[in-house]
Amino acid sequence: ATPNVVDVVLRGTRDGVNSVQVGDISAVVDATGLGPGVYTLPVKVDNPPRVGVTSILPATVQVSISSGKN
């Protein structure tokens, strides 16, 4: 995926945001069912408890799949 790093901006109470650890946040791209090719896909984040996601920058990434299974 390009870029391979995204920034996630969180919102919530001070205690909620301060309790978040780096490992609590996962940014994922769903490439399920896609075959070889280049795709622009949305980035999704499962936010940790007590906080919300304000933004994901960039909101999409370019994914290149060179081979796939059917």
Side-chain angles (χ1 to χ4, degrees):
T2 304
N4 61 357
V5 175
V6 297
D7 291 322
V8 177
V9 179
L10 302 176
R11 64 175 162 74
T13 65
R14 179 174 290 159
D15 289 340
V17 172
N18 287 338
S19 69
V20 175
Q21 301 295 316
V22 172
D24 295 339
I25 301 171
S26 294
V28 296
V29 176
D30 185 4
T32 303
L34 298 177
V38 177
Y39 304 91
T40 300
L41 301 173
V43 178
K44 297 180 183 179
V45 173
D46 290 329
N47 52 297
R50 300 179 59 194
V51 298
V53 175
T54 299
S55 64
I56 304 167
L57 302 170
T60 61
V61 295
Q62 188 174 50
V63 175
S64 177
I65 300 173
S66 57
S67 65
K69 294 182 179 180
N70 292 340

